[in-house]
């Protein structure tokens, strides 16, 4: 049976074509998010489902350049790498307490920062964050705050990082997107011999203020026993 029969009028043919296109679009429509949003302590909290919404994607990276083999650059331990929109890559060496600025073709342009406790100095750094105005943030885990350097390598005011609940938190991961940050943190509170470990994932303003809480877990350890509560 032919769908576009010669006896069909042009208007009916166009209608059938539209129906077929809409059917195909429905079949290939993006998966619908099944989570929910709610307010917890006045903060918008997002509850995701246990599994992924979309299909598994396989990405095969291709090497662009190599550095540190036969070069004069000797790394201690590179713990993070961030690539700017202009192709510049920033490498964080946690052992040497140094940030390397690498050109798009793999040459070391300069180094930023060094170990210490003064302005623009850092210790125990775990990750980098590329901020607006070409500023570079170096995140220290304990105590959690971000040392900020401008595009000339000069120190800017540091940013205190926390979970928004007044607890002494430790940053596990951080990503900057425009005028906001996404951070994963944990904190530990001791109460009558018990240890409460709180994990938080949320979005924050660039000054460290909590915007939305995406995930919040609490784990209690006592006498070798562990109890876990998730979400609410």
């Amino acid at each position: 049976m032919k769908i576009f029969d010669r006896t069909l009028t042009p208007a009916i043919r166009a209608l059938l074509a539209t129906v077929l296109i809409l059917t195909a679009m429905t079949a290939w429509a993006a998966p619908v998010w099944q989570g929910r949003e709610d307010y917890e302590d006045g903060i918008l909290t997002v509850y995701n489902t246990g599994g992924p919404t979309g299909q598994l994607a396989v990405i095969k990276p291709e090497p662009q350049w190599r550095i540190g083999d036969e070069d004069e650059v000797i790394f201690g331990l590179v713990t993070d790498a961030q690539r700017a929109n202009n192709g510049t890559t920033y490498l964080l060496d946690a052992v040497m307490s140094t940030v390397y600025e690498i050109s798009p073709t793999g040459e070391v342009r300069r180094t930023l920062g060094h170990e210490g406790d003064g302005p623009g100095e850092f210790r125990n750094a775990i990750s980098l964050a590329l901020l607006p105005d070409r500023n570079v943030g170096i995140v220290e885990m304990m105590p959690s705050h971000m040392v900020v350097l401008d595009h000339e390598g000069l120190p800017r005011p540091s940013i205190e990082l926390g979970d928004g609940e007044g607890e002494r938190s430790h940053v596990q991961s951080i990503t900057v997107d425009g005028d906001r940050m996404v951070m994963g943190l944990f904190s530990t509170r001791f109460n009558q011999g018990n240890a409460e470990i709180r994990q938080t994932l949320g979005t924050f303003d660039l000054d460290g203020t909590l915007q939305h809480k995406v995930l919040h877990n609490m784990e209690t350890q006592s006498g070798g026993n562990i109890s876990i509560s998730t979400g609410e």
Side-chain angles (χ1 to χ4, degrees):
M1 177 182 177
K2 295 182 179 180
I3 295 179
F4 295 104
D5 192 87
R6 293 182 179 179
T7 59
L8 299 179
T9 64
I12 296 179
R13 292 179 183 177
L15 177 61
L16 287 174
T18 303
V19 171
L20 290 174
I21 293 174
L22 291 176
T23 302
M25 291 177 62
T26 303
W28 290 95
V32 179
W33 179 60
Q34 300 296 329
R36 65 183 179 88
E37 295 182 350
D38 199 357
Y39 280 89
E40 181 178 315
D41 298 330
I43 298 175
L44 178 63
T45 305
V46 180
Y47 297 89
N48 286 310
T49 56
T53 302
Q55 297 180 350
L56 179 65
V58 179
I59 301 176
K60 297 181 179 180
E62 297 182 0
Q64 300 297 312
W65 43 260
R66 295 177 64 90
I67 192 172
D69 286 338
E70 299 177 356
D71 302 301
E72 296 181 357
V73 180
I74 300 177
F75 296 110
L77 177 63
V78 176
T79 58
D80 196 12
Q82 296 289 333
R83 185 176 184 273
N85 292 332
N86 61 4
T88 300
T89 300
Y90 295 88
L91 303 179
L92 172 62
D93 190 325
V95 172
M96 305 300 290
S97 295
T98 301
V99 177
Y100 293 87
E101 182 180 289
I102 313 297
S103 72
T105 54
E107 292 82 21
V108 177
R109 287 175 174 165
R110 59 176 177 167
T111 60
L112 304 173
H114 56 269
E115 185 175 10
D117 300 312
E121 300 174 340
F122 51 91
R123 302 177 188 269
N124 302 318
I126 60 171
S127 61
L128 294 173
L130 301 186
L131 304 170
D133 300 326
R134 298 168 58 193
N135 292 341
V136 178
I138 302 99
V139 180
E140 294 182 319
M141 183 176 180
M142 295 185 295
S144 286
H145 74 282
M146 183 187 298
V147 175
V148 181
L149 303 175
D150 65 13
H151 65 279
E152 295 181 352
L154 301 177
R156 303 287 295 170
S158 298
I159 302 173
E160 298 299 323
L161 305 176
D163 61 3
E165 298 181 359
E167 297 292 336
R168 189 178 180 88
S169 302
H170 308 299
V171 176
Q172 293 178 297
S173 61
I174 184 170
T175 299
V176 176
D177 180 19
D179 60 351
R180 64 179 181 175
M181 301 183 290
V182 179
M183 281 195 296
L185 311 98
F186 76 93
S187 61
T188 303
R189 175 193 297 176
F190 296 96
N191 184 19
Q192 297 181 352
N194 299 333
E196 294 181 355
I197 302 175
R198 300 170 180 262
Q199 294 179 311
T200 301
L201 176 66
T203 60
F204 297 76
D205 291 330
L206 292 181
D207 62 359
T209 303
L210 178 64
Q211 289 182 338
H212 306 301
K213 188 185 299 181
V214 180
L215 179 66
H216 181 71
N217 292 343
M218 185 178 70
E219 173 184 309
T220 303
Q221 299 183 5
S222 175
N225 298 321
I226 299 177
S227 63
I228 299 176
S229 62
T230 303
E232 300 178 358

